[in-house]
Amino acid sequence: MDIRVGSRRIVFRAERRVFKIPRFTRWVSFIRGINENLEERYWFSADGSRRRNPSQKWTVPQLAEIYWADRFGLLVVMERVDVAIRPASFQEDLRRLQDWAKGFSFAQDVNESNVGYRGTELVICDYGFFGGTRDCYIGT
């Protein structure tokens, strides 16, 4: 298992799963990390079909699958995809994925650091972008 630290969340990467929790460094980062976890949870269960039929195959194959997410935004358990592979077709795959994401709230955040391969298919593994304002500081 290894650990990655993003701007708002900490990601624990196991062999087949990743576990995302909010960062505890600053209050604002913690709240934004919760927001990002809740945003990913929303996209995972937006149509409610997973709750009605848990064995149903994931219906949005362009997104890494979430296996479990708590309702408070403290933990997301997600499929681990390969973020290190960059085949010759990577830029074309990324462009297609960016075209597909147009219209979604996370579209402007689909970039090289937020995607990975599930087999030969490029998918978005960080779609918690909620369009919030930049971090602000109170005082000097």
Short mmCIF file of all heavy atoms in Angstrom, two decimals, residues 57-108:
data_model
loop_
_atom_site.label_atom_id
_atom_site.label_comp_id
_atom_site.label_asym_id
_atom_site.label_seq_id
_atom_site.Cartn_x
_atom_site.Cartn_y
_atom_site.Cartn_z
N LYS A 57 -24.21 -3.90 -13.11
CA LYS A 57 -22.92 -3.41 -13.61
C LYS A 57 -22.94 -1.89 -13.61
O LYS A 57 -23.95 -1.25 -13.84
CB LYS A 57 -22.71 -3.94 -15.03
CG LYS A 57 -21.35 -3.63 -15.61
CD LYS A 57 -21.21 -4.34 -16.94
CE LYS A 57 -20.04 -4.00 -17.76
NZ LYS A 57 -18.89 -3.41 -17.34
N TRP A 58 -21.79 -1.29 -13.31
CA TRP A 58 -21.65 0.17 -13.30
C TRP A 58 -22.06 0.72 -14.65
O TRP A 58 -21.60 0.27 -15.69
CB TRP A 58 -20.20 0.49 -12.97
CG TRP A 58 -19.80 1.93 -12.92
CD1 TRP A 58 -18.73 2.47 -13.55
CD2 TRP A 58 -20.43 3.00 -12.21
NE1 TRP A 58 -18.65 3.81 -13.27
CE2 TRP A 58 -19.68 4.16 -12.46
CE3 TRP A 58 -21.54 3.09 -11.40
CZ2 TRP A 58 -20.01 5.38 -11.91
CZ3 TRP A 58 -21.87 4.31 -10.87
CH2 TRP A 58 -21.11 5.44 -11.12
N THR A 59 -22.94 1.71 -14.65
CA THR A 59 -23.54 2.20 -15.89
C THR A 59 -22.80 3.36 -16.54
O THR A 59 -23.18 3.80 -17.60
CB THR A 59 -25.01 2.62 -15.64
OG1 THR A 59 -25.02 3.62 -14.62
CG2 THR A 59 -25.85 1.44 -15.21
N VAL A 60 -21.78 3.89 -15.90
CA VAL A 60 -20.99 4.98 -16.49
C VAL A 60 -19.55 4.49 -16.58
O VAL A 60 -18.73 4.74 -15.70
CB VAL A 60 -21.08 6.27 -15.65
CG1 VAL A 60 -20.37 7.41 -16.35
CG2 VAL A 60 -22.53 6.63 -15.38
N PRO A 61 -19.22 3.76 -17.65
CA PRO A 61 -17.90 3.12 -17.73
C PRO A 61 -16.73 4.09 -17.82
O PRO A 61 -15.59 3.69 -17.65
CB PRO A 61 -18.00 2.26 -18.99
CG PRO A 61 -19.08 2.88 -19.80
CD PRO A 61 -20.04 3.49 -18.81
N GLN A 62 -16.98 5.36 -18.07
CA GLN A 62 -15.88 6.33 -18.16
C GLN A 62 -15.39 6.78 -16.79
O GLN A 62 -14.42 7.52 -16.69
CB GLN A 62 -16.32 7.56 -18.97
CG GLN A 62 -16.56 7.27 -20.43
CD GLN A 62 -17.97 6.73 -20.71
OE1 GLN A 62 -18.72 6.40 -19.80
NE2 GLN A 62 -18.31 6.64 -21.96
N LEU A 63 -16.07 6.37 -15.73
CA LEU A 63 -15.69 6.73 -14.37
C LEU A 63 -15.22 5.49 -13.61
O LEU A 63 -15.82 4.43 -13.74
CB LEU A 63 -16.87 7.35 -13.61
CG LEU A 63 -17.53 8.57 -14.24
CD1 LEU A 63 -18.71 9.02 -13.40
CD2 LEU A 63 -16.52 9.70 -14.41
N ALA A 64 -14.15 5.64 -12.82
CA ALA A 64 -13.73 4.55 -11.96
C ALA A 64 -14.87 4.26 -10.98
O ALA A 64 -15.51 5.18 -10.46
CB ALA A 64 -12.46 4.92 -11.21
N GLU A 65 -15.12 2.99 -10.74
CA GLU A 65 -16.27 2.61 -9.92
C GLU A 65 -16.01 2.83 -8.44
O GLU A 65 -14.93 2.57 -7.92
CB GLU A 65 -16.59 1.13 -10.15
CG GLU A 65 -17.82 0.70 -9.39
CD GLU A 65 -18.29 -0.68 -9.77
OE1 GLU A 65 -17.73 -1.29 -10.67
OE2 GLU A 65 -19.25 -1.14 -9.12
N ILE A 66 -17.03 3.34 -7.78
CA ILE A 66 -17.00 3.48 -6.32
C ILE A 66 -17.71 2.27 -5.73
O ILE A 66 -18.84 1.97 -6.06
CB ILE A 66 -17.68 4.78 -5.87
CG1 ILE A 66 -16.86 5.97 -6.33
CG2 ILE A 66 -17.86 4.79 -4.35
CD1 ILE A 66 -17.46 7.31 -5.99
N TYR A 67 -17.00 1.56 -4.85
CA TYR A 67 -17.57 0.38 -4.21
C TYR A 67 -18.35 0.74 -2.96
O TYR A 67 -19.32 0.08 -2.61
CB TYR A 67 -16.46 -0.62 -3.86
CG TYR A 67 -15.74 -1.11 -5.08
CD1 TYR A 67 -14.40 -0.81 -5.28
CD2 TYR A 67 -16.40 -1.87 -6.05
CE1 TYR A 67 -13.74 -1.27 -6.41
CE2 TYR A 67 -15.74 -2.32 -7.18
CZ TYR A 67 -14.41 -2.02 -7.34
OH TYR A 67 -13.75 -2.46 -8.47
N TRP A 68 -17.91 1.80 -2.28
CA TRP A 68 -18.62 2.24 -1.09
C TRP A 68 -18.24 3.68 -0.78
O TRP A 68 -17.09 4.08 -0.96
CB TRP A 68 -18.24 1.36 0.11
CG TRP A 68 -19.07 1.64 1.32
CD1 TRP A 68 -20.32 1.18 1.60
CD2 TRP A 68 -18.70 2.48 2.43
NE1 TRP A 68 -20.75 1.67 2.81
CE2 TRP A 68 -19.77 2.47 3.33
CE3 TRP A 68 -17.58 3.23 2.73
CZ2 TRP A 68 -19.75 3.18 4.52
CZ3 TRP A 68 -17.55 3.94 3.91
CH2 TRP A 68 -18.63 3.91 4.80
N ALA A 69 -19.20 4.46 -0.33
CA ALA A 69 -18.95 5.84 0.08
C ALA A 69 -19.92 6.17 1.21
O ALA A 69 -21.13 5.95 1.08
CB ALA A 69 -19.16 6.80 -1.08
N ASP A 70 -19.38 6.67 2.31
CA ASP A 70 -20.27 7.00 3.42
C ASP A 70 -21.04 8.28 3.12
O ASP A 70 -20.64 9.09 2.28
CB ASP A 70 -19.50 7.11 4.74
CG ASP A 70 -18.76 8.42 4.85
OD1 ASP A 70 -17.82 8.64 4.07
OD2 ASP A 70 -19.13 9.22 5.71
N ARG A 71 -22.13 8.48 3.79
CA ARG A 71 -23.01 9.62 3.51
C ARG A 71 -22.50 10.94 4.05
O ARG A 71 -23.05 11.99 3.76
CB ARG A 71 -24.41 9.34 4.02
CG ARG A 71 -24.52 9.33 5.52
CD ARG A 71 -25.92 9.18 5.98
NE ARG A 71 -26.07 7.85 6.58
CZ ARG A 71 -27.20 7.32 6.87
NH1 ARG A 71 -28.31 7.95 6.63
NH2 ARG A 71 -27.25 6.13 7.42
N PHE A 72 -21.42 10.92 4.83
CA PHE A 72 -20.88 12.15 5.42
C PHE A 72 -19.65 12.69 4.69
O PHE A 72 -19.13 13.73 5.04
CB PHE A 72 -20.54 11.91 6.90
CG PHE A 72 -21.71 11.40 7.69
CD1 PHE A 72 -21.74 10.10 8.13
CD2 PHE A 72 -22.81 12.22 7.95
CE1 PHE A 72 -22.82 9.61 8.84
CE2 PHE A 72 -23.89 11.75 8.66
CZ PHE A 72 -23.90 10.44 9.11
N GLY A 73 -19.17 11.96 3.69
CA GLY A 73 -18.03 12.41 2.91
C GLY A 73 -16.68 12.15 3.56
O GLY A 73 -15.68 12.73 3.16
N LEU A 74 -16.63 11.26 4.54
CA LEU A 74 -15.37 10.98 5.21
C LEU A 74 -14.55 9.89 4.55
O LEU A 74 -13.34 9.81 4.74
CB LEU A 74 -15.63 10.62 6.68
CG LEU A 74 -16.28 11.73 7.50
CD1 LEU A 74 -16.62 11.22 8.90
CD2 LEU A 74 -15.39 12.95 7.56
N LEU A 75 -15.21 9.02 3.74
CA LEU A 75 -14.48 7.93 3.10
C LEU A 75 -15.15 7.52 1.80
O LEU A 75 -16.37 7.37 1.74
CB LEU A 75 -14.42 6.71 4.04
CG LEU A 75 -13.79 5.44 3.46
CD1 LEU A 75 -12.31 5.65 3.15
CD2 LEU A 75 -13.98 4.28 4.42
N VAL A 76 -14.31 7.34 0.79
CA VAL A 76 -14.74 6.76 -0.49
C VAL A 76 -13.81 5.58 -0.78
O VAL A 76 -12.59 5.72 -0.66
CB VAL A 76 -14.65 7.78 -1.65
CG1 VAL A 76 -14.80 7.10 -3.00
CG2 VAL A 76 -15.69 8.87 -1.49
N VAL A 77 -14.39 4.44 -1.10
CA VAL A 77 -13.63 3.26 -1.50
C VAL A 77 -13.89 3.07 -2.98
O VAL A 77 -15.02 2.86 -3.40
CB VAL A 77 -14.04 2.00 -0.71
CG1 VAL A 77 -13.21 0.80 -1.15
CG2 VAL A 77 -13.92 2.24 0.79
N MET A 78 -12.84 3.16 -3.78
CA MET A 78 -12.97 3.20 -5.24
C MET A 78 -12.07 2.15 -5.88
O MET A 78 -11.05 1.75 -5.32
CB MET A 78 -12.57 4.60 -5.72
CG MET A 78 -12.69 4.83 -7.21
SD MET A 78 -12.16 6.51 -7.67
CE MET A 78 -13.65 7.43 -7.32
N GLU A 79 -12.45 1.76 -7.08
CA GLU A 79 -11.63 0.89 -7.91
C GLU A 79 -10.28 1.56 -8.17
O GLU A 79 -10.21 2.76 -8.43
CB GLU A 79 -12.39 0.68 -9.23
CG GLU A 79 -11.59 0.37 -10.42
CD GLU A 79 -12.39 0.39 -11.70
OE1 GLU A 79 -13.37 1.16 -11.83
OE2 GLU A 79 -12.02 -0.38 -12.59
N ARG A 80 -9.21 0.78 -8.11
CA ARG A 80 -7.89 1.32 -8.44
C ARG A 80 -7.63 1.10 -9.93
O ARG A 80 -7.80 0.00 -10.44
CB ARG A 80 -6.80 0.64 -7.63
CG ARG A 80 -5.43 1.21 -7.95
CD ARG A 80 -4.35 0.67 -7.08
NE ARG A 80 -3.06 1.19 -7.51
CZ ARG A 80 -1.94 0.99 -6.87
NH1 ARG A 80 -1.94 0.30 -5.74
NH2 ARG A 80 -0.81 1.49 -7.32
N VAL A 81 -7.28 2.16 -10.61
CA VAL A 81 -6.92 2.08 -12.02
C VAL A 81 -5.44 2.41 -12.17
O VAL A 81 -4.83 2.99 -11.27
CB VAL A 81 -7.79 3.01 -12.89
CG1 VAL A 81 -9.26 2.60 -12.83
CG2 VAL A 81 -7.64 4.46 -12.48
N ASP A 82 -4.86 2.05 -13.30
CA ASP A 82 -3.44 2.24 -13.52
C ASP A 82 -3.17 3.65 -14.02
O ASP A 82 -3.48 3.99 -15.16
CB ASP A 82 -2.91 1.21 -14.51
CG ASP A 82 -1.40 1.14 -14.53
OD1 ASP A 82 -0.75 2.13 -14.13
OD2 ASP A 82 -0.87 0.10 -14.94
N VAL A 83 -2.60 4.48 -13.16
CA VAL A 83 -2.33 5.88 -13.52
C VAL A 83 -0.94 6.06 -14.12
O VAL A 83 -0.61 7.14 -14.60
CB VAL A 83 -2.52 6.82 -12.31
CG1 VAL A 83 -3.95 6.81 -11.84
CG2 VAL A 83 -1.57 6.46 -11.18
N ALA A 84 -0.12 4.99 -14.12
CA ALA A 84 1.25 5.10 -14.62
C ALA A 84 1.34 4.79 -16.12
O ALA A 84 2.25 5.27 -16.79
CB ALA A 84 2.16 4.16 -13.85
N ILE A 85 0.42 4.00 -16.65
CA ILE A 85 0.49 3.62 -18.06
C ILE A 85 0.19 4.83 -18.94
O ILE A 85 -0.77 5.56 -18.70
CB ILE A 85 -0.52 2.50 -18.37
CG1 ILE A 85 -0.07 1.20 -17.73
CG2 ILE A 85 -0.72 2.32 -19.86
CD1 ILE A 85 -0.99 0.05 -17.98
N ARG A 86 1.02 5.05 -19.94
CA ARG A 86 0.81 6.13 -20.91
C ARG A 86 1.15 5.60 -22.30
O ARG A 86 2.23 5.84 -22.82
CB ARG A 86 1.70 7.35 -20.59
CG ARG A 86 1.35 8.06 -19.30
CD ARG A 86 -0.02 8.70 -19.40
NE ARG A 86 -0.32 9.56 -18.28
CZ ARG A 86 -1.15 9.26 -17.30
NH1 ARG A 86 -1.74 8.10 -17.27
NH2 ARG A 86 -1.40 10.13 -16.34
N PRO A 87 0.22 4.83 -22.92
CA PRO A 87 0.50 4.29 -24.26
C PRO A 87 0.53 5.41 -25.31
O PRO A 87 0.19 6.56 -25.03
CB PRO A 87 -0.67 3.34 -24.51
CG PRO A 87 -1.76 3.87 -23.67
CD PRO A 87 -1.11 4.48 -22.46
N ALA A 88 0.92 5.04 -26.51
CA ALA A 88 0.99 6.02 -27.61
C ALA A 88 -0.35 6.69 -27.85
O ALA A 88 -0.41 7.84 -28.27
CB ALA A 88 1.48 5.33 -28.88
N SER A 89 -1.44 5.99 -27.55
CA SER A 89 -2.79 6.54 -27.79
C SER A 89 -3.29 7.41 -26.64
O SER A 89 -4.44 7.87 -26.68
CB SER A 89 -3.77 5.39 -28.01
OG SER A 89 -3.87 4.60 -26.83
N PHE A 90 -2.45 7.67 -25.62
CA PHE A 90 -2.93 8.36 -24.42
C PHE A 90 -3.56 9.71 -24.72
O PHE A 90 -4.66 10.01 -24.23
CB PHE A 90 -1.80 8.53 -23.40
CG PHE A 90 -2.23 9.31 -22.19
CD1 PHE A 90 -3.07 8.74 -21.25
CD2 PHE A 90 -1.85 10.63 -22.02
CE1 PHE A 90 -3.50 9.47 -20.14
CE2 PHE A 90 -2.26 11.36 -20.92
CZ PHE A 90 -3.08 10.77 -19.98
N GLN A 91 -2.90 10.55 -25.49
CA GLN A 91 -3.44 11.90 -25.75
C GLN A 91 -4.79 11.83 -26.48
O GLN A 91 -5.71 12.59 -26.16
CB GLN A 91 -2.44 12.75 -26.55
CG GLN A 91 -1.22 13.16 -25.74
CD GLN A 91 -1.57 13.96 -24.49
OE1 GLN A 91 -2.49 14.77 -24.47
NE2 GLN A 91 -0.84 13.72 -23.42
N GLU A 92 -4.92 10.91 -27.42
CA GLU A 92 -6.20 10.74 -28.12
C GLU A 92 -7.27 10.21 -27.16
O GLU A 92 -8.41 10.66 -27.17
CB GLU A 92 -6.03 9.80 -29.32
CG GLU A 92 -7.31 9.54 -30.08
CD GLU A 92 -7.95 10.79 -30.67
OE1 GLU A 92 -7.24 11.78 -30.93
OE2 GLU A 92 -9.18 10.77 -30.88
N ASP A 93 -6.91 9.23 -26.32
CA ASP A 93 -7.85 8.70 -25.33
C ASP A 93 -8.30 9.80 -24.37
O ASP A 93 -9.48 9.89 -24.02
CB ASP A 93 -7.20 7.56 -24.52
CG ASP A 93 -6.90 6.33 -25.35
OD1 ASP A 93 -7.45 6.20 -26.47
OD2 ASP A 93 -6.10 5.49 -24.88
N LEU A 94 -7.35 10.64 -23.94
CA LEU A 94 -7.68 11.74 -23.04
C LEU A 94 -8.60 12.74 -23.71
O LEU A 94 -9.58 13.19 -23.11
CB LEU A 94 -6.40 12.43 -22.56
CG LEU A 94 -6.59 13.60 -21.58
CD1 LEU A 94 -7.30 13.14 -20.31
CD2 LEU A 94 -5.24 14.24 -21.26
N ARG A 95 -8.35 13.07 -24.95
CA ARG A 95 -9.22 14.01 -25.68
C ARG A 95 -10.64 13.46 -25.79
O ARG A 95 -11.61 14.17 -25.56
CB ARG A 95 -8.65 14.30 -27.08
CG ARG A 95 -9.43 15.39 -27.81
CD ARG A 95 -9.13 15.44 -29.29
NE ARG A 95 -9.43 14.21 -29.99
CZ ARG A 95 -10.66 13.76 -30.25
NH1 ARG A 95 -11.72 14.41 -29.83
NH2 ARG A 95 -10.84 12.63 -30.91
N ARG A 96 -10.77 12.17 -26.10
CA ARG A 96 -12.11 11.54 -26.18
C ARG A 96 -12.82 11.59 -24.83
O ARG A 96 -14.01 11.87 -24.75
CB ARG A 96 -12.00 10.10 -26.67
CG ARG A 96 -11.95 9.97 -28.17
CD ARG A 96 -12.26 8.55 -28.63
NE ARG A 96 -11.39 7.55 -28.04
CZ ARG A 96 -10.26 7.13 -28.57
NH1 ARG A 96 -9.86 7.59 -29.72
NH2 ARG A 96 -9.54 6.21 -27.96
N LEU A 97 -12.06 11.34 -23.77
CA LEU A 97 -12.64 11.37 -22.42
C LEU A 97 -13.06 12.79 -22.06
O LEU A 97 -14.14 13.00 -21.48
CB LEU A 97 -11.62 10.83 -21.42
CG LEU A 97 -12.13 10.39 -20.06
CD1 LEU A 97 -13.25 9.36 -20.18
CD2 LEU A 97 -10.99 9.83 -19.24
N GLN A 98 -12.27 13.78 -22.41
CA GLN A 98 -12.62 15.18 -22.16
C GLN A 98 -13.86 15.57 -22.95
O GLN A 98 -14.73 16.28 -22.43
CB GLN A 98 -11.44 16.09 -22.49
CG GLN A 98 -10.31 15.98 -21.51
CD GLN A 98 -9.04 16.66 -21.97
OE1 GLN A 98 -8.78 16.79 -23.16
NE2 GLN A 98 -8.23 17.10 -21.02
N ASP A 99 -13.97 15.11 -24.19
CA ASP A 99 -15.18 15.38 -24.99
C ASP A 99 -16.40 14.75 -24.34
O ASP A 99 -17.46 15.36 -24.28
CB ASP A 99 -15.02 14.86 -26.42
CG ASP A 99 -14.08 15.71 -27.25
OD1 ASP A 99 -13.78 16.85 -26.83
OD2 ASP A 99 -13.65 15.23 -28.32
N TRP A 100 -16.26 13.52 -23.86
CA TRP A 100 -17.38 12.83 -23.22
C TRP A 100 -17.84 13.59 -21.97
O TRP A 100 -19.03 13.69 -21.68
CB TRP A 100 -16.99 11.40 -22.83
CG TRP A 100 -18.01 10.74 -21.98
CD1 TRP A 100 -19.15 10.11 -22.40
CD2 TRP A 100 -18.05 10.71 -20.55
NE1 TRP A 100 -19.86 9.68 -21.31
CE2 TRP A 100 -19.22 10.03 -20.18
CE3 TRP A 100 -17.19 11.18 -19.56
CZ2 TRP A 100 -19.54 9.81 -18.84
CZ3 TRP A 100 -17.52 10.97 -18.24
CH2 TRP A 100 -18.70 10.28 -17.89
N ALA A 101 -16.88 14.15 -21.21
CA ALA A 101 -17.18 14.79 -19.92
C ALA A 101 -17.81 16.17 -20.06
O ALA A 101 -18.30 16.71 -19.06
CB ALA A 101 -15.92 14.88 -19.08
N LYS A 102 -17.82 16.75 -21.25
CA LYS A 102 -18.39 18.09 -21.41
C LYS A 102 -19.82 18.11 -20.88
O LYS A 102 -20.61 17.23 -21.17
CB LYS A 102 -18.37 18.52 -22.87
CG LYS A 102 -16.99 18.86 -23.34
CD LYS A 102 -16.98 19.30 -24.79
CE LYS A 102 -15.55 19.61 -25.20
NZ LYS A 102 -15.43 19.88 -26.62
N GLY A 103 -20.13 19.13 -20.10
CA GLY A 103 -21.47 19.24 -19.53
C GLY A 103 -21.55 18.74 -18.10
O GLY A 103 -22.48 19.07 -17.38
N PHE A 104 -20.58 17.92 -17.66
CA PHE A 104 -20.55 17.46 -16.28
C PHE A 104 -19.82 18.49 -15.42
O PHE A 104 -18.96 19.22 -15.91
CB PHE A 104 -19.84 16.11 -16.16
CG PHE A 104 -20.62 14.95 -16.71
CD1 PHE A 104 -20.30 14.41 -17.94
CD2 PHE A 104 -21.68 14.41 -15.99
CE1 PHE A 104 -21.01 13.34 -18.45
CE2 PHE A 104 -22.40 13.33 -16.49
CZ PHE A 104 -22.07 12.80 -17.72
N SER A 105 -20.12 18.54 -14.13
CA SER A 105 -19.49 19.52 -13.25
C SER A 105 -17.99 19.31 -13.13
O SER A 105 -17.25 20.25 -12.84
CB SER A 105 -20.14 19.48 -11.87
OG SER A 105 -19.93 18.22 -11.27
N PHE A 106 -17.51 18.11 -13.36
CA PHE A 106 -16.08 17.82 -13.22
C PHE A 106 -15.33 17.94 -14.54
O PHE A 106 -14.12 17.66 -14.61
CB PHE A 106 -15.87 16.42 -12.63
CG PHE A 106 -16.60 15.33 -13.36
CD1 PHE A 106 -16.09 14.78 -14.53
CD2 PHE A 106 -17.80 14.85 -12.88
CE1 PHE A 106 -16.77 13.76 -15.20
CE2 PHE A 106 -18.49 13.83 -13.54
CZ PHE A 106 -17.96 13.30 -14.70
N ALA A 107 -15.97 18.39 -15.61
CA ALA A 107 -15.36 18.41 -16.95
C ALA A 107 -14.07 19.20 -17.01
O ALA A 107 -13.10 18.76 -17.64
CB ALA A 107 -16.35 18.95 -17.97
N GLN A 108 -14.00 20.34 -16.35
CA GLN A 108 -12.79 21.16 -16.44
C GLN A 108 -11.63 20.57 -15.66
O GLN A 108 -10.50 21.03 -15.79
CB GLN A 108 -13.06 22.58 -15.97
CG GLN A 108 -13.34 22.71 -14.49
CD GLN A 108 -13.83 24.10 -14.14
OE1 GLN A 108 -14.77 24.61 -14.75
NE2 GLN A 108 -13.19 24.72 -13.18
#
